[in-house]
Amino acid sequence: MSKTRERLWFALFTVPTILIFITVVIIPFINGIVLAFFEWDGIAANPKIFVGLENFVKLWSDQRFLSSAFITIKFTVLAVISVNVLGLIFALLCTSALKMKNLARTMIFMPNLIGGLILGYIWQFIFTDAFAILGELTGFDQVFFNWLLDKDYALYAIIFVFTWQMAGYMMIVYIAGIQSIPDELMEAAKIDGANYWQRLRHIVLPLLMPAITICLFLTLSFAFKQYDVNLSLTGGGPVRATEMFAMHIYNEIFRYNNYGYGQAKAIIFFIIIAAISLTQVYLTKKREVEM
Amino acid sequence: MSMVKKYIKETLLVLLGVFYLSPIYIMLVNSFKDRSQLYENVLALPEQFTLEYYQAAFQKMNFLSAFKNSLYITVVSIIFVVILASMTAWMLARTDNKLSRIIFMTFIATMLIPFQTIMMPLMQEMSWITRNIGIPMTNTHGGLIYMNIGFHSSMAVFLYHGFVKSIPRSLEEAATIDGASKWGVFWRIIFPLLKPTTVTVAILDVISIWNDYLLPSLTLKSKDLRTIPLSTFYFFGEFTIQWNQAMAGLVMTIIPVVIFYMFAQKYIIKGIAEGAVK
């Protein structure tokens, strides 16, 4: 086949996707970098004023931004721990010799399919009303009260719902990892007299490192980008105490109409996410090789 | 393991699952209760079964229209993602040159970009296209589908690319010698072989497009274009919350998801595991 025809086929198969991809992702991304250096209120008729690096300098003395960043980091760290610990425990239970494991797996994964927005609304009701009644019934009113009105507990409420949503997802990934561990290895360890904890510590966990890496990486970026549950559960409140990074960017741009400044924050957001993801991938690849 | 111990363990495992889904129970029982019953005890079973709150929520949410919109947008977006991404991935995997590698790496690298980083410039660009070129990209289902394709194609290209690499070239070469065009080779030989990946891509995209709130909220402004997450959001925002109606509304939004889960559970779990591992 001639070279030109070869190229025409290449174009026919790739150009439609590339064209859509460029217009939806690449152009806005480049434009977004440019706009971060301007001051603009988002109205097409109004001028965009070039301000250089000012948007990026202003960030460091912006109390709203700094507290939002702090909340996001706190949320991410706690959520990564709770999602993965719970996901791993569920996975171990659902790969045991029990007959009901498939039913349990089905039930635990269920919340993940329901969108974050809807989950947030369900829990809004539970935290507001069901918790009050639980508090009365059980007497544990230090635990069962309306979490959404307290500025610390409101964040824990989001972590709680996020964990409820994501633990099932991570469980599925961990199950796949556990199932790929050869049976002979476990049998041999059993014959050698290793008990359950020894097998878990010295065989399952080390061999599960690739799955753990993937799960940490996924939870980290899901948690950092959290928006839907944040929006429907607390809406950023009480008094901005739970306005996480993604919501903060949205509000800066579309609510306060600081398009340029908001976009600068969005670029920082990208840099952090990219750095986290790349570091994670690098570290886990290295560790897998060493073992 | 003794029998009794085994039964206790089995029961505990099921109880864990039931406890895990208790929020669904709370949602369900309260969708039937009137105000006083609801505030008396949120955990108790309802005293009567009435569809009154369902009817009210159904109308206020404009549920039927939202459901149709969600279904249309999800299905059409996925058909396009599958067709376009599989074609592109096959061509990229089978062409060994610099350009092809650069294109592939660009797809992968941009998967790091969060939506919030490009949402504003994307909306600017789309309204610019609407104003100056005359293609209605904003406030239309077509525009939203176009953007969905853009956002979901890189992951799909990535998954297909990996799978194509595992298909021996000899299959295609034989067909090419028999005189089939690239188009024919792809659709008749390759595409059917890609079915496992197609299922994975479709499952992953159904979940994320069906549940997506932010992108539709930025593009769709008219009431009659709203998807389920959008109409849920406005339902909670526009009316002072009557929890029984709200719960009835949420139950309705979950029913399609539960049905989908029942029929496609095996594929969903496989798709999630594969999508994450790659």
Side-chain angles (χ1 to χ4, degrees):
Chain A
M1 212 186 285
S2 73
K3 203 122 198 210
T4 336
R5 283 195 59 182
E6 200 64 58
R7 279 194 189 139
L8 275 174
W9 280 117
F10 185 81
L12 178 72
F13 274 69
T14 57
V15 166
T17 319
I18 294 172
L19 191 76
I20 298 176
F21 185 68
I22 287 178
T23 47
V24 175
V25 179
I26 307 287
I27 294 178
F29 182 61
I30 295 168
N31 246 337
I33 296 174
V34 175
L35 281 171
F37 296 94
F38 285 82
E39 194 188 303
W40 185 39
D41 61 3
I43 297 164
N46 287 351
K48 301 184 180 88
I49 304 155
F50 181 77
V51 290
L53 284 169
E54 199 191 294
N55 285 336
F56 291 95
V57 176
K58 213 158 66 172
L59 284 174
W60 303 104
S61 51
D62 179 344
Q63 278 311 314
R64 259 184 62 231
F65 173 76
L66 294 176
S67 79
S68 169
F70 175 73
I71 291 163
T72 313
I73 292 167
K74 187 174 165 190
F75 171 83
T76 306
V77 171
L78 293 174
V80 165
I81 296 169
S82 64
V83 167
N84 284 287
V85 168
L86 218 58
L88 192 55
I89 292 173
F90 289 153
L92 290 170
L93 288 174
C94 292
T95 48
S96 59
L98 299 171
K99 283 200 190 70
M100 290 301 168
K101 61 185 182 187
N102 285 340
L103 181 68
R105 188 187 65 178
T106 303
M107 293 202 274
I108 292 168
F109 180 68
M110 177 76 218
N112 190 260
L113 285 181
I114 305 167
L117 192 83
I118 286 158
L119 291 181
Y121 286 128
I122 299 174
W123 280 95
Q124 196 189 56
F125 174 64
I126 296 173
F127 281 123
T128 341
D129 284 326
F131 264 39
I133 288 168
L134 276 174
E136 272 173 41
L137 286 177
T138 59
F140 290 117
D141 49 7
Q142 300 102 317
V143 181
F144 295 112
F145 59 94
N146 188 349
W147 287 22
L148 304 180
L149 295 179
D150 181 284
K151 74 180 184 34
D152 287 321
Y153 276 83
L155 190 69
Y156 300 143
I158 306 175
I159 296 173
F160 195 93
V161 178
F162 180 77
T163 306
W164 189 61
Q165 180 190 22
M166 293 310 298
Y169 185 110
M170 296 310 151
M171 170 189 75
I172 300 290
V173 184
Y174 283 127
I175 287 177
I178 293 170
Q179 282 170 344
S180 69
I181 297 174
D183 284 339
E184 304 92 77
L185 224 56
M186 298 296 274
E187 289 305 319
K190 247 187 230 173
I191 292 165
D192 288 345
N195 66 27
Y196 182 78
W197 292 111
Q198 286 167 329
R199 292 199 303 269
L200 186 67
R201 237 196 114 223
H202 298 288
I203 301 177
V204 179
L205 287 183
L207 288 174
L208 217 51
M209 267 323 285
I212 293 176
T213 310
I214 291 161
C215 288
L216 286 178
F217 162 67
L218 284 174
T219 337
L220 209 59
S221 78
F222 283 151
F224 202 78
K225 291 190 272 193
Q226 181 50 244
Y227 180 78
D228 289 7
V229 175
N230 196 185
L231 178 72
S232 59
L233 191 63
T234 67
V239 215
R240 278 206 215 107
T242 60
E243 187 189 64
M244 282 194 282
F245 212 149
M247 183 180 276
H248 182 77
I249 293 169
Y250 181 93
N251 288 343
E252 190 68 65
I253 297 176
F254 295 113
R255 191 181 283 180
Y256 304 119
N257 290 329
N258 296 323
Y259 276 55
Y261 186 40
Q263 188 56 32
K265 290 176 177 177
I267 297 297
I268 299 284
F269 188 59
F270 161 71
I271 292 170
I272 295 172
I273 293 216
I276 291 173
S277 308
L278 294 175
T279 317
Q280 185 86 43
V281 170
Y282 171 76
L283 284 178
T284 43
K285 283 264 189 290
K286 203 172 127 197
R287 179 153 186 182
E288 280 161 34
V289 174
E290 277 167 3
M291 279 194 331
Chain B
M1 213 190 298
S2 76
M3 283 303 272
V4 181
K5 222 172 146 190
K6 195 168 156 60
Y7 277 119
I8 293 174
K9 279 189 175 173
E10 298 276 7
T11 317
L12 284 177
L13 190 62
V14 176
L15 279 179
L16 172 74
V18 172
F19 176 72
Y20 208 71
L21 291 183
S22 56
I24 310 270
Y25 164 82
I26 294 178
M27 176 181 67
L28 205 59
V29 291
N30 289 298
S31 65
F32 298 108
K33 293 181 192 168
D34 64 32
R35 227 184 131 74
S36 62
Q37 269 183 59
L38 193 146
Y39 282 103
E40 200 175 299
N41 187 351
V42 270
L43 300 176
L45 282 166
E47 280 162 24
Q48 82 286 346
F49 285 96
T50 161
L51 290 178
E52 188 191 331
Y53 310 113
Y54 282 85
Q55 278 166 346
F58 191 87
Q59 276 178 353
K60 285 186 185 170
M61 285 176 74
N62 212 346
F63 188 80
L64 198 63
S65 142
F67 178 76
K68 278 190 207 151
N69 292 339
S70 276
L71 193 65
Y72 172 73
I73 288 163
T74 310
V75 170
V76 178
S77 302
I78 288 170
I79 291 174
F80 275 106
V81 169
V82 164
I83 293 175
L84 295 175
S86 62
M87 282 167 59
T88 307
W90 178 63
M91 217 20 134
L92 292 178
R94 290 296 189 241
T95 312
D96 262 328
N97 62 31
K98 216 172 173 183
L99 178 68
S100 149
R101 274 192 297 275
I102 290 173
I103 296 170
F104 182 64
M105 288 317 289
T106 314
F107 274 116
I108 306 302
T110 52
M111 279 160 64
L112 290 172
I113 304 174
F115 179 71
Q116 275 77 9
T117 302
I118 47 181
M119 64 181 175
M120 185 273 276
L122 176 69
M123 289 310 128
Q124 296 296 323
E125 184 196 358
M126 290 304 150
S127 44
W128 185 86
I129 292 176
T130 310
R131 272 197 320 270
N132 297 314
I133 305 180
I135 307 167
M137 297 303 283
T138 51
N139 201 18
T140 57
H141 285 163
L144 178 58
I145 289 168
Y146 185 87
M147 288 180 250
N148 275 336
I149 301 167
F151 283 119
H152 291 89
S153 59
S154 39
M155 179 70 171
V157 166
F158 177 56
L159 290 173
Y160 277 121
H161 194 274
F163 196 79
V164 168
K165 291 249 159 186
S166 71
I167 303 174
R169 273 174 194 254
S170 52
L171 269 172
E172 299 154 38
E173 277 155 10
T176 315
I177 292 163
D178 291 343
S181 69
K182 291 244 175 195
W183 185 263
V185 169
F186 179 75
W187 289 110
R188 258 176 274 140
I189 298 169
I190 304 299
F191 190 72
L193 289 174
L194 294 175
K195 203 183 145 201
T197 308
T198 303
V199 173
T200 304
V201 169
I203 295 281
L204 293 176
D205 290 353
V206 166
I207 300 169
S208 75
I209 296 174
W210 184 271
N211 289 328
D212 192 16
Y213 164 76
L214 192 49
L215 177 62
S217 81
L218 291 170
T219 40
L220 305 176
K221 299 294 174 204
S222 311
K223 229 174 167 173
D224 53 331
L225 295 179
R226 282 175 192 165
T227 59
I228 287 184
L230 276 184
S231 71
T232 312
F233 178 79
Y234 285 104
F235 177 54
F236 273 79
E238 275 167 20
F239 304 95
T240 42
I241 296 179
Q242 289 178 292
W243 281 115
N244 42 21
Q245 277 184 24
M247 290 303 124
L250 293 179
V251 171
M252 288 191 298
T253 64
I254 289 174
I255 289 171
V257 178
V258 173
I259 293 173
F260 172 66
Y261 189 40
M262 283 191 323
F263 284 101
Q265 207 214 114
K266 202 179 92 194
Y267 299 106
I268 293 173
I269 290 188
K270 196 177 138 273
I272 292 287
E274 276 176 16
V277 173
K278 279 168 184 161

